[in-house]
Amino acid sequence: MLRVEVGSPHLHLVDLGEVLRQFDVDPGGDEPQWHWSRHTGPVERTALVSDVHGNLTAYRAVLDDIERRRITRVLNLGDLVGKGPRGAECVELTQERCEVTVLGNWDDFVGREEIELNAAGQWWRGQLGQDQRAWLTRLPFCHDMVVSGRRLRLFHASAGDVNTRVFEDHSEEEFRGMFETTAATGSGPVPTVVAYGDIHAAYLKVHRGLTLFNAGSVGNALDEPSASYVVVEGVVDGGPDAPFGLQFVRVAYDIEGELAAAAELGNPEQDAYAIELRQAIYRGRAEREGLIAAPDLHHRAGA
């Protein structure tokens, strides 16, 4: 244990662990990264993942990438199931790896057995154990945290409910609505930063002191055919003088391997799943343009 006091000829003993905690460094890592936040403590990194949709191949690739970056806190913005064949495995992996998971629209209607689904939806629901379906229905609507003096709110689709979709080309009213407190979010301070999923396309907008961003999709990206997630960097519960950053990460994964596994397992709507994964074309658009046949749907939740 050694401390060198700048400007002094004297040496003093100090707890090295305290120093490392202040700099947030892994001295045993291959490439230690030093992060210093003046007066407020170590800068931490939190990974935000969203819209896994039963794509276990993509999910594993993203979680492996997060682990390689030595990020230990993972938060999930919902939609673990549906579209892809391995919802049960994705739920299990989420329960193991994610500190917080909020409710997505697919989690809601696949988990709630009183909601009648078409044949495809029934198949995806049937892949889940009863305990997993019950767990999905108990997920919180949103999660709030303070990072570098900014109040960050996480939810799946909008501040009002899990089914209202807000695209990147939204109106001023829609933008403002994402920061409102509602019956769904509960009372409390309004957020200054909002993270969400649902639309499967990553973007960032800063407007009049408010920051809105979409984490994209891990398992069903519709902006480019690769998995997407976001790293939030800052001091958790720290003050506004601490640094704050957002990093959008893209991860390549074995799309053909995922599609082969889906076909072997009998995944429904396989043509739609394939065009979304290979070309990032939403199945509804693909149907309208005649690229795939439209299924006979009783329930379609959209993205």
Short mmCIF file of all heavy atoms in Angstrom, two decimals, residues 85 98 106 113 160 212 215-216 223 248 251 269:
data_model
loop_
_atom_site.label_atom_id
_atom_site.label_comp_id
_atom_site.label_asym_id
_atom_site.label_seq_id
_atom_site.Cartn_x
_atom_site.Cartn_y
_atom_site.Cartn_z
N PRO A 85 -37.70 -18.38 -31.55
CA PRO A 85 -38.19 -19.64 -31.01
C PRO A 85 -37.82 -19.94 -29.57
O PRO A 85 -38.41 -20.83 -28.95
CB PRO A 85 -37.53 -20.68 -31.93
CG PRO A 85 -36.22 -20.05 -32.28
CD PRO A 85 -36.51 -18.57 -32.41
N CYS A 98 -29.82 -9.92 -15.77
CA CYS A 98 -30.33 -8.55 -15.77
C CYS A 98 -30.78 -8.14 -14.37
O CYS A 98 -31.59 -8.81 -13.74
CB CYS A 98 -31.48 -8.38 -16.76
SG CYS A 98 -30.98 -8.67 -18.47
N TRP A 106 -45.01 -7.51 -25.88
CA TRP A 106 -45.06 -8.94 -26.14
C TRP A 106 -45.03 -9.73 -24.82
O TRP A 106 -45.72 -10.76 -24.70
CB TRP A 106 -43.90 -9.37 -27.03
CG TRP A 106 -44.12 -9.07 -28.49
CD1 TRP A 106 -44.03 -7.86 -29.11
CD2 TRP A 106 -44.50 -10.01 -29.50
NE1 TRP A 106 -44.30 -7.98 -30.44
CE2 TRP A 106 -44.58 -9.29 -30.71
CE3 TRP A 106 -44.74 -11.38 -29.51
CZ2 TRP A 106 -44.92 -9.90 -31.93
CZ3 TRP A 106 -45.07 -11.99 -30.71
CH2 TRP A 106 -45.17 -11.25 -31.91
N GLU A 113 -52.46 -15.26 -19.93
CA GLU A 113 -53.15 -16.36 -20.59
C GLU A 113 -54.60 -16.04 -20.92
O GLU A 113 -55.22 -16.74 -21.74
CB GLU A 113 -53.05 -17.62 -19.73
CG GLU A 113 -51.61 -18.06 -19.53
CD GLU A 113 -51.50 -19.42 -18.87
OE1 GLU A 113 -52.39 -20.26 -19.08
OE2 GLU A 113 -50.54 -19.63 -18.12
N GLY A 160 -47.21 6.19 -21.34
CA GLY A 160 -48.60 5.87 -21.05
C GLY A 160 -48.91 4.40 -20.94
O GLY A 160 -49.66 3.97 -20.07
N LEU A 212 -33.77 11.94 -25.21
CA LEU A 212 -34.57 10.75 -25.51
C LEU A 212 -33.74 9.84 -26.41
O LEU A 212 -33.19 10.30 -27.41
CB LEU A 212 -35.87 11.16 -26.22
CG LEU A 212 -36.79 10.03 -26.69
CD1 LEU A 212 -37.36 9.26 -25.50
CD2 LEU A 212 -37.92 10.59 -27.56
N ALA A 215 -32.76 2.20 -27.51
CA ALA A 215 -31.65 1.25 -27.43
C ALA A 215 -31.60 0.30 -28.61
O ALA A 215 -30.66 -0.49 -28.72
CB ALA A 215 -31.75 0.46 -26.14
N GLY A 216 -32.59 0.37 -29.52
CA GLY A 216 -32.62 -0.57 -30.63
C GLY A 216 -33.06 -1.95 -30.15
O GLY A 216 -33.68 -2.10 -29.10
N ASP A 223 -33.21 -1.56 -38.09
CA ASP A 223 -32.46 -0.46 -38.70
C ASP A 223 -31.24 -0.98 -39.46
O ASP A 223 -30.84 -0.41 -40.47
CB ASP A 223 -32.04 0.58 -37.65
CG ASP A 223 -31.41 -0.04 -36.41
OD1 ASP A 223 -31.26 -1.28 -36.34
OD2 ASP A 223 -31.06 0.73 -35.50
N PHE A 248 -23.69 3.82 -28.33
CA PHE A 248 -24.50 2.86 -29.06
C PHE A 248 -23.58 1.78 -29.63
O PHE A 248 -22.61 2.09 -30.32
CB PHE A 248 -25.27 3.55 -30.19
CG PHE A 248 -26.37 4.45 -29.68
CD1 PHE A 248 -26.08 5.71 -29.16
CD2 PHE A 248 -27.68 4.04 -29.69
CE1 PHE A 248 -27.08 6.53 -28.68
CE2 PHE A 248 -28.69 4.85 -29.22
CZ PHE A 248 -28.39 6.10 -28.70
N VAL A 251 -23.46 -5.33 -32.53
CA VAL A 251 -22.78 -6.62 -32.37
C VAL A 251 -23.23 -7.56 -33.48
O VAL A 251 -24.43 -7.83 -33.63
CB VAL A 251 -23.09 -7.24 -31.00
CG1 VAL A 251 -22.39 -8.59 -30.85
CG2 VAL A 251 -22.68 -6.30 -29.87
N GLU A 269 -44.15 -18.53 -38.58
CA GLU A 269 -43.87 -17.31 -39.34
C GLU A 269 -42.38 -17.19 -39.64
O GLU A 269 -41.78 -16.11 -39.52
CB GLU A 269 -44.41 -16.07 -38.60
CG GLU A 269 -45.90 -16.13 -38.35
CD GLU A 269 -46.48 -14.86 -37.73
OE1 GLU A 269 -45.77 -13.84 -37.68
OE2 GLU A 269 -47.64 -14.89 -37.30
#
